[in-house]
Amino acid sequence: MTRARLSDALALLAGVVLVLAVGVGYLQRSVGDADRFADRATAALRDDRVRTVVAERVTDGLVRQEPDLLAARPLIDATVRGLAGSQAFTDLVRSAARDLHRAVVDGDEDTVTLTLTDVGTVVAGGLQAVRPGLAAKLEANRRVAVVDQGLAGASADVGRVLSRVHAVLIGLVVGWLALLVVALALAPDRRRATVRVGIGTAGAAIVAVVALTPLRAWAVDASSDADARAAIGAVWDAFIGDLRTAWWLCAGVGAVLAAAAGSLLRPMPLGAPLRLLAERLAREPASTAGRALRGVAFLLAGAVVLVARDAVVSLLLTVAGTYLVYEGVRILLELVAPAEAAREPRPAGRRLPRPRRGVLVAGASGLVLVLLVGGGAASTEQTGGAPRATDRCNGHRELCGRRLDEVALGATHNAMSVPLPGWYSAEQERPIAGQLADGVRGLLIDTHYADRLPSGRHRTVIVPSAAQAREDGLSPETLAAALRIRDRLGFTGQGQRGIYLCHTFCELGATPLGEVLADLRRFLAAHPGEVVVVINQDEGVPPRAIVGAVRDAGLERFVQPVPRAGGRWPTLGEMVATGRRLVVLAEHQGATAGQPGAAWYPAAYADGVLQETPYAFGRPSLLTASEHRAASCAENRGTPDAPLMLLNHWVSTDPLPRPSQASTVNARGPLLARARECERLRKRRVNLVAVNFYRRGDLLGVVDALNGLAR
């Protein structure tokens, strides 16, 4: 008898340990991993109450940093509320959650601080159209702490606990197996011991599920603000909802296990356990002490029902659901194989026969059913369908595992030459911000020093040489004429000097470099899965000036250092993970050419980073006709072993570019055929496909084809 009771106790304990192991495994998978922790944090944003609280905290933080914005608080609040559910805002929260997770796990912080970096930039983008002045003030406020809770030194303890979760999980699994083996070894009847294991698993899971209800209530009641309590509840559901489902699944598996093993023992009619329980509760104890204890038990039970109604309802529903699963599986198993004990008594010392195949099939079917139901429930939880931001690199999961020199990017030649006020010709349809939004990931720009004159016009400080003009597709005659026209038009007087994006002459169109870099920073901040390459034709602008402009724009933290010669380029996924998703190259004077600057700004061709094809094509047939493809793919600037290759693919027409010709050469057939031929002849992948009028033809479709992606 003692041996049987010990076996029963160990079997029940095995079920409890299994439930604990499931809980610890959930903790390791969902909270111990930074990416999954961030997934659940962003999933909470789907709840309107969470977005409301976060929007209020962000608005307060922005206004607190700039008190002059107080009068505009209603407008800022409305804008933030509108953005709170957007992809850009969600990406900011995810990045902040990852940083928070790392800080807590490393144990080097005494506060739990969820800080949204670049939130001012994202909100400013939402206000740009209606209040550009207000947007400019918000851009200076780049960081806002949404949560700032002191830990009083507990961060190190949390980090140690999370770092040891894996070892605890292994210990629980080993302990469960040991308890199970010993319980079965000691049991006079192993099937009855298996029933006890199922009952222990189901019972422990029911207790665990029910315990979550008061814990949730305790966490929610910790705040006195109604909106905050609602938000805490939503966050709790996002992080704990799947754990409830996992324990429900444990309860179902325990019930199936108990039913499968119990079907071979003496069956009990439907409702018999409930009747036995009712009879025991109604039976009056014979002793005075027993009656006293019974009365106290009823008083306590009544108090619990009155005080914790939700927990009691949850308990009853959980027990009822588990019992129904048990009864359903038991009835089906009895139909397949009637219980041996029901047919004839078992002689002493005789083993029960092996269960029939039908019993095993039915038991397995019941278990699969429970697993499918549990899996379906888990798939509908808070984190179910949202892909991670880092799962896509430049819009595609397939690109995350490829190095930068293994992918193709759509690029725009003279990206700054657009139909803006003051520009006398254009080679692209939209400004750089619009190009990025459309999917362009390579920008070929020209920088010049220019003086902004009192008239609003710009005067180029350093007139380009004839060689530089030829690189821009200008003949010596056009260059000389432009200089004469400038003198006649009176580009004189004292001006304010700055760095501008111009196409050879700032007199014919100029955009401040700072404005374009600000657009680029806004894009990168709002799209953490995108990688961009910039090639700067630096006409007389030294590296230190470009590096300073990048730093002033807050872009340096996005810049990816360029590998040394022969070094390995990171994958797009690695660039996304580190946040360094911007590559900046100089055509002429890189930082390694004796000019002060930064190592991340090399000379593209001289330092062996980039090689290219020719770029001077006077008519479309030179790019589209098969007999000209070999010549169009010939080596031009750069060294043959440079890791990145630029495909120059535009028609140079003097003095004005023609969109109709771009429609011809950018069409999918000729553009893809030339790119494939250049890859074959040069024996390397095309990485940047640069065109004029990128919206004509099928640039992005060709890039997808080069990357092996369906489009």
Side-chain angles (χ1 to χ4, degrees):
M1 182 62 68
T2 303
R3 182 176 177 181
R5 289 179 178 177
L6 180 58
S7 173
D8 289 346
L10 293 178
L12 293 173
L13 184 58
V16 174
V17 172
L18 177 61
V19 172
L20 289 175
V22 169
V24 173
Y26 173 86
L27 178 66
Q28 179 194 30
R29 177 178 175 82
S30 302
V31 182
D33 180 79
D35 285 331
R36 293 189 175 93
F37 177 84
D39 287 342
R40 294 183 181 278
T42 53
L45 280 178
R46 300 177 191 174
D47 191 285
D48 291 336
R49 300 163 297 180
V50 176
R51 290 199 298 269
T52 297
V53 172
V54 171
E56 289 178 352
R57 299 288 175 86
V58 169
T59 302
D60 290 342
L62 293 174
V63 174
R64 190 181 304 113
Q65 294 181 26
E66 182 57 61
D68 291 343
L69 297 175
L70 183 61
R73 193 187 191 286
L75 179 59
I76 297 173
D77 183 68
T79 302
V80 176
R81 288 174 187 268
L83 291 170
S86 67
Q87 184 62 46
F89 197 90
T90 299
D91 290 341
L92 293 183
V93 173
R94 188 175 196 283
S95 178
R98 284 174 55 86
D99 293 339
L100 169 62
H101 184 276
R102 281 193 291 266
V104 172
V105 171
D106 291 341
D108 57 359
E109 299 288 344
D110 289 331
T111 58
V112 172
T113 304
L114 183 69
T115 302
L116 301 186
T117 303
D118 288 312
V119 67
T121 301
V122 173
V123 177
L127 284 170
Q128 188 67 44
V130 293
R131 292 286 297 276
L134 182 60
K137 290 184 178 181
L138 282 175
E139 282 213 63
N141 304 315
R142 299 177 186 169
R143 298 171 63 87
V144 171
V146 179
V147 177
D148 193 0
Q149 179 67 46
L151 285 178
S155 178
D157 296 334
V158 174
R160 283 193 295 269
V161 169
L162 291 178
S163 65
R164 296 172 181 173
V165 164
H166 184 67
V168 173
L169 178 60
I170 293 176
L172 288 172
V173 172
V174 172
W176 173 74
L177 289 173
L179 289 170
L180 186 62
V181 170
V182 174
L184 293 176
L186 293 176
D189 188 332
R190 292 178 182 175
R191 291 186 183 125
R192 191 175 298 276
T194 305
V195 172
R196 296 297 186 270
V197 172
I199 292 174
T201 303
I206 290 172
V207 172
V209 168
V210 172
L212 291 177
T213 300
L215 287 176
R216 184 183 187 278
W218 172 79
V220 170
D221 292 341
S223 175
S224 58
D225 182 78
D227 289 336
R229 287 199 300 271
I232 291 172
V235 172
W236 174 280
D237 293 339
F239 277 89
I240 306 299
D242 285 350
L243 178 58
R244 180 187 295 271
T245 301
W247 278 338
W248 261 109
L249 189 59
C250 281
V253 169
V256 169
L257 181 63
S263 65
L264 298 173
L265 304 174
R266 187 175 61 184
M268 298 181 68
L270 179 64
L274 298 180
R275 286 193 295 272
L276 290 175
L277 178 62
E279 290 175 0
R280 291 187 179 181
L281 290 176
R283 187 182 305 159
E284 189 78 19
S287 65
T288 303
R291 289 196 297 271
L293 290 175
R294 185 167 179 266
V296 171
F298 278 131
L299 285 174
L300 291 177
V304 170
V305 171
L306 293 174
V307 174
R309 296 180 183 178
D310 292 340
V312 173
V313 171
S314 177
L315 173 62
L316 293 177
L317 292 177
T318 303
V319 171
T322 306
Y323 178 71
L324 290 175
V325 170
Y326 169 84
E327 284 290 352
V329 173
R330 184 190 62 79
I331 292 170
L332 292 176
L333 290 174
E334 287 184 2
L335 292 176
V336 176
E340 291 292 331
R343 291 198 298 267
E344 58 179 331
R346 178 167 59 96
R350 176 186 168 189
R351 293 184 178 181
L352 285 173
R354 292 184 178 181
R356 297 182 182 179
R357 182 179 301 177
V359 175
L360 298 177
V361 172
S365 301
L367 182 59
V368 169
L369 177 62
V370 171
L371 292 173
L372 290 176
V373 172
S379 68
T380 61
E381 290 291 343
Q382 298 290 339
T383 61
R388 301 181 193 171
T390 53
D391 282 349
R392 293 180 182 272
C393 300
N394 282 16
H396 300 280
R397 292 187 179 90
E398 297 88 339
L399 299 183
C400 290
R402 303 183 194 176
R403 301 191 309 268
L404 182 63
D405 55 341
E406 295 175 332
V407 299
L409 307 176
T412 47
H413 166 244
N414 285 331
M416 69 287 163
S417 183
V418 294
L420 289 173
W423 283 84
Y424 290 90
S425 67
E427 292 182 274
Q428 305 299 339
E429 295 92 338
R430 299 186 69 191
I432 286 177
Q435 296 173 29
L436 292 169
D438 286 343
V440 171
R441 296 296 177 264
L443 304 171
L444 278 59
I445 61 174
D446 298 6
T447 53
H448 299 260
Y449 276 120
D451 292 332
R452 179 177 171 82
L453 304 176
S455 62
R457 295 183 294 182
H458 297 84
R459 179 182 59 213
T460 309
V461 173
I462 301 175
V463 176
S465 66
Q468 292 170 344
R470 282 197 300 273
E471 288 185 7
D472 286 338
L474 301 177
S475 65
E477 294 76 15
T478 301
L479 174 60
L483 295 176
R484 290 194 301 270
I485 292 173
R486 187 178 81 162
D487 293 339
R488 292 172 184 170
L489 292 178
F491 283 85
T492 58
Q494 187 68 30
Q496 184 175 2
R497 186 157 299 180
I499 304 176
Y500 291 86
L501 300 185
C502 316
H503 181 35
T504 308
F505 292 102
C506 297
E507 291 81 358
L508 302 178
T511 299
L513 174 62
E515 291 183 5
V516 172
L517 294 181
D519 287 340
L520 183 55
R521 176 171 58 83
R522 279 190 288 268
F523 175 80
L524 291 173
H527 301 82
E530 302 301 312
V531 175
V532 178
V533 176
V534 176
I535 302 175
N536 176 33
Q537 184 174 324
D538 45 334
E539 303 294 359
V541 183
R544 64 177 179 274
I546 299 297
V547 170
V550 169
R551 287 172 175 165
D552 291 343
L555 270 173
E556 190 172 27
R557 65 187 179 88
F558 292 108
V559 177
Q560 169 65 48
V562 175
R564 296 176 180 267
R568 173 188 176 275
W569 278 92
T571 65
L572 266 60
E574 291 169 342
M575 296 173 73
V576 167
T578 61
R580 296 191 173 275
R581 299 173 281 113
L582 176 63
V583 176
V584 186
L585 307 174
E587 277 200 8
H588 302 295
Q589 300 182 78
T592 57
Q595 297 282 341
W600 48 257
Y601 183 54
Y605 300 112
D607 290 339
V609 179
L610 185 68
Q611 57 179 290
E612 65 165 5
T613 65
Y615 50 77
F617 303 100
R619 61 182 187 276
S621 62
L622 296 176
L623 292 171
T624 59
S626 58
E627 62 268 22
H628 295 302
R629 284 186 189 139
S632 75
C633 295
E635 294 181 4
N636 201 37
R637 293 177 294 181
T639 58
D641 59 348
L644 302 180
M645 189 166 89
L646 167 65
L647 181 75
N648 297 310
H649 192 86
W650 62 84
V651 179
S652 300
T653 54
D654 190 5
L656 295 175
R658 300 174 186 174
S660 59
Q661 293 180 335
S663 297
T664 300
V665 299
N666 293 353
R668 183 182 181 87
L671 178 54
L672 183 58
R674 181 178 176 233
R676 295 289 195 200
E677 182 68 5
C678 290
E679 288 186 333
R680 186 184 69 82
L681 294 173
R682 301 285 287 269
K683 294 182 173 56
R684 64 177 52 253
R685 181 181 294 275
V686 167
N687 303 113
L688 292 158
V689 183
V691 302
N692 282 352
F693 301 104
Y694 73 97
R695 302 189 100 184
R696 302 292 184 105
D698 190 23
L699 169 64
L700 299 184
V702 168
V703 167
D704 281 347
L706 293 174
N707 286 325
L709 305 171
R711 185 183 175 91

